[in-house]
Each structure stands twice: as C-alpha cells, then as structure tokens.
Amino acid sequence: MPWRSSRTPYHIWLSEIILQQTRVDQGTPYFLRFIERFPTVESLSQASLDDVLQMWEGLGYYSRARNLHKAAQCIVEKWQGHIPSAYADLLTIPGIGPYTAAAISSIAFGQAHAVVDGNVIRVLSRLMAFSKDVSLHSSKTHLQTIATLLLNPREPGNYNESLMELGALVCSPNKPDCAQCPVHSFCAGYNEGNPTQYPVKRPSKKTPHYDIVVGIIEDQLGRIFVQKRPVEAMLGGLWEFPGGKKEALEELTETCRREVLEETGMNVKVGQHIASIKHAYSHFRITLHAFECTHESSTAPASPLEWEWAVHEQLQAYAFPKANRDLINILLERAAGTPKATSH
Ligand code: SF4
C-alpha cells in the first residue's frame, strides 16, 4: 500500500483516518480524491463541511469526516497548518486517539511510539498464543506493553508499518499464510497448529435489525423533499429523506405517514412502494423501505432541520448515507424510464 507510507505528515494523517474501519482497496480511491481536492491542511480547513462529507460519502463512520474537518481547522489555528510532531499535541486534535497519534509520530516524525491496531493485535496474539479475551482492558494494556517492548526505536515508523502490513497481507483473519510468513519459526500460535483460534474474543451478540420507512415526497415541480441530519446525530450533516423506525404491529405505510408528519409537519397520502434496501451498520442492520408520497394538504414543510425541495442535480451532489444513495440511484433510474427491481 504505497500511499500509506507516504512521508508527508498530512498524507499519513489522512491515510490513517481513512483506514480506520476501512480496507485498503476501499480507502485508496477516497485518499486519492481527497488529496487532489484538498492538497493541503489549509485547503481542507477552508472547505465546507458539506464538501468534506460529500467526498466521504460511502466510506461510513462519518464522525471521522467531521473530525477531520474540525482537526484541519484546529491545526491551522494552533500550528499554522503544520501537523505537530509531539505525541501529546497530536492527542489534543479532534479524531486523533492513541493509535493515530502513534502512527503519525512514528511514521512521519520517527518517534518511538508503538502502533496497536486490529492487525497488530492479531499478529501479537498469534505470536504469543495469547489466550485472554483481547477486548478486555487488561489485555489491551498488555498488548500495548508488548508492542512497545518489541518496537525498534531506531526505525519506529518502518517497524510499525511492517507489523501492520504483516497483519494485513500475511497474517489475515481466516487464512494466515504461515508458510510464507517471516516469523513462523517463533510463532507460538502457528507452532501449536491452530493460529486462527487467536485473537480470543467474546462471542458477539446478535446484531439487531430495524425497519426504517421513508417518504419520497415530490412537489408539483418534480422536486423531492430532503432534510439534513443534525451535526451531533449519527450520520450528522448528511442529507436524508424524512422517515423513521417502524413500531411493533405498525404497517409500513402507517409508519411512513406518521414519521413524515412528525418530522416535517406535512400530511401525506402514502402511495406505491418504491424499494426496500438492506444495509448494515457496525452495531445494527436496517431495511430501508421507501414509498411514494403525495402532499395532501397545503401545509408548508415544518421540519426543524435544514431542508430543501431538491432537484436531481442536488440529489446527486449532496452527501447521503449509503442506503439513501442506493435509493436515489433507483429514483434516478425510474425518472430516466428504466425502472429496476423494487428490492435488493
Ligand atoms: Fe500469523 Fe502464521 Fe505468521 Fe504466526 S506464522 S504471525 S499465525 S502468519
């Protein structure tokens, strides 16, 4: 992953933020688009949050994008646009925790701070046949101590990157390539014969599922009602169609009518089902059901949120959560006269 090892502190910071919760092949096009559009910390700090969210659309975990924007402004204000080299200073920047601070300070500035991410946890757990639950605080502290002891202080950046790459490319979660691994001779997990039993994790709870229903309300000019989520909420700053969670025993159409009324003050007649789209977030799954809605009364929208009657260009240009974006693609295909299946 050559872009990850770029020696520009800004690039290293950006790549480390993008790669949290994201695979390299997914993150690479985002990184390249970001540095083209925002080549410096200053340019990122001067962008609108809408622009940053729009560039981030599809990558998920949108708090990363909001923090990136806030952090750029903080770096310009406090360090004249230069990313600070001190680990303690890095920790004061929005969105930078111990992992990212260690990555930036070691890779960009050659300081001896050990990085412990998911890849490193997997490699170290297997190397030591570490039998404790790695989600425990005591296990994390222990692994951080081991990582720090193993760190090569003369080349901390290269060392950290090597360990992360070993985890990403060789010591993969389900199929580690132990035969090709440069450390297999002293890997306890491998020598025991079953390295994939590490890292030990508590069994995860069943992921909850919610039915979310949204109304596609068109005005007489063919524009569609959209509103912007509050910045402090989940998916904050992104646009969405009005709607919400189905209650037990409620019909989907009734949820649609009720939620639209509650959120926008508009009484709507719920019409044809447009699509049902499944999407998984980190801690829950949803099925997003969309219905055509006709605005029955002459009441003007009364959403407390920022809202718009959006034309197609706006639907394409604004940042929407992934399931809403899939829905927009279906709406645009319908508008172009090439309807697709109503669920996927
Ligand atoms: Fe991972 Fe296998 Fe290498 Fe051990 S020998 S670190 S289990 S790839």
Side-chain angles (χ1 to χ4, degrees):
M1 49 189 100
W3 57 275
R4 194 177 191 182
S5 56
S6 156
R7 294 296 161 207
T8 309
Y10 172 53
H11 291 179
I12 291 166
W13 167 49
L14 189 56
S15 64
E16 292 302 334
I17 299 293
I18 288 175
L19 286 182
Q20 290 168 12
Q21 320 284 349
T22 302
R23 291 196 320 270
V24 173
D25 58 330
Q26 276 179 314
T28 301
Y30 283 88
F31 173 81
L32 296 174
R33 282 202 296 271
F34 247 88
I35 55 169
E36 193 183 337
R37 177 83 178 272
F38 309 120
T40 60
V41 178
E42 284 84 359
S43 57
L44 179 57
S45 76
Q46 287 160 6
S48 70
L49 179 59
D50 278 343
D51 277 352
V52 175
L53 288 170
Q54 208 263 328
M55 294 288 290
W56 200 268
E57 190 188 294
L59 208 47
Y61 299 92
Y62 288 88
S63 59
R64 289 181 296 170
R66 290 191 295 275
N67 279 331
L68 201 61
H69 187 237
K70 241 191 272 172
Q73 293 170 340
C74 165
I75 292 165
V76 167
E77 203 176 295
K78 285 174 79 176
W79 293 283
Q80 296 74 49
H82 301 292
I83 294 174
S85 58
Y87 181 82
D89 286 339
L90 288 165
L91 283 177
T92 67
I93 297 173
I96 297 189
Y99 160 77
T100 313
I104 297 170
S105 63
S106 64
I107 299 169
F109 301 109
Q111 295 181 8
H113 292 283
V115 165
V116 178
D117 68 351
N119 286 324
V120 173
I121 288 174
R122 188 167 58 254
V123 172
L124 293 182
S125 303
R126 290 173 177 175
L127 273 175
M128 300 187 297
F130 185 64
S131 59
K132 297 207 174 112
D133 178 353
V134 292
S135 60
L136 296 173
H137 180 70
S138 56
S139 298
K140 287 180 185 158
T141 307
H142 181 69
L143 290 167
Q144 181 71 57
T145 305
I146 298 294
T148 303
L149 286 170
L150 290 174
L151 185 74
N152 177 351
R154 287 189 304 280
E155 289 192 73
N158 284 340
Y159 175 85
N160 278 332
E161 286 196 289
S162 306
L163 207 53
M164 291 191 281
E165 300 259 322
L166 184 68
L169 304 177
V170 182
C171 192
S172 60
N174 300 319
K175 283 193 183 158
D177 190 0
C178 299
Q180 300 300 322
C181 179
V183 298
H184 71 234
S185 61
F186 54 89
C187 175
Y190 170 64
N191 289 313
E192 271 181 0
N194 186 13
T196 54
Q197 69 182 294
Y198 305 105
V200 175
K201 287 181 192 160
R202 257 195 309 255
S204 53
K205 291 191 200 123
K206 194 171 180 297
T207 315
H209 172 269
Y210 305 108
D211 285 300
I212 307 293
V213 191
V214 295
I216 305 301
I217 315 164
E218 228 176 276
D219 73 359
Q220 286 149 346
L221 300 174
R223 300 173 304 180
I224 294 176
F225 183 87
V226 292
Q227 58 191 14
K228 196 193 260 189
R229 294 179 63 80
V231 170
E232 64 282 1
M234 181 186 166
L235 306 172
L238 272 71
W239 291 83
E240 65 173 9
F241 300 105
K245 204 185 289 179
K246 174 185 171 302
E247 291 184 358
L249 306 178
E250 197 176 40
E251 294 289 331
L252 292 175
T253 49
E254 176 51 22
T255 307
C256 185
R257 197 201 60 75
R258 175 182 58 74
E259 285 284 348
V260 169
L261 179 63
E262 282 174 15
E263 290 200 342
T264 71
M266 287 190 280
N267 254 311
V268 292
K269 184 173 173 204
V270 180
Q272 200 192 339
H273 171 248
I274 298 171
S276 290
I277 294 162
K278 293 185 193 321
H279 184 67
Y281 291 98
S282 55
H283 296 101
F284 61 92
R285 295 171 298 114
I286 64 161
T287 303
L288 181 80
H289 307 275
F291 287 86
E292 284 178 359
C293 289
T294 316
H295 190 186
E296 282 205 304
S297 66
S298 55
T299 345
S303 172
L305 307 173
E306 185 181 337
W307 57 267
E308 293 260 8
W309 288 106
V311 296
H312 286 173
E313 289 72 24
Q314 287 169 303
L315 294 179
Q316 279 166 320
Y318 289 179
F320 284 85
K322 174 74 171 59
N324 278 243
R325 173 57 63 201
D326 291 348
L327 177 56
I328 288 168
N329 290 337
I330 291 170
L331 294 174
L332 295 175
E333 280 163 3
R334 277 164 52 114
T338 54
K340 282 205 163 173
T342 57
S343 77
H344 63 191

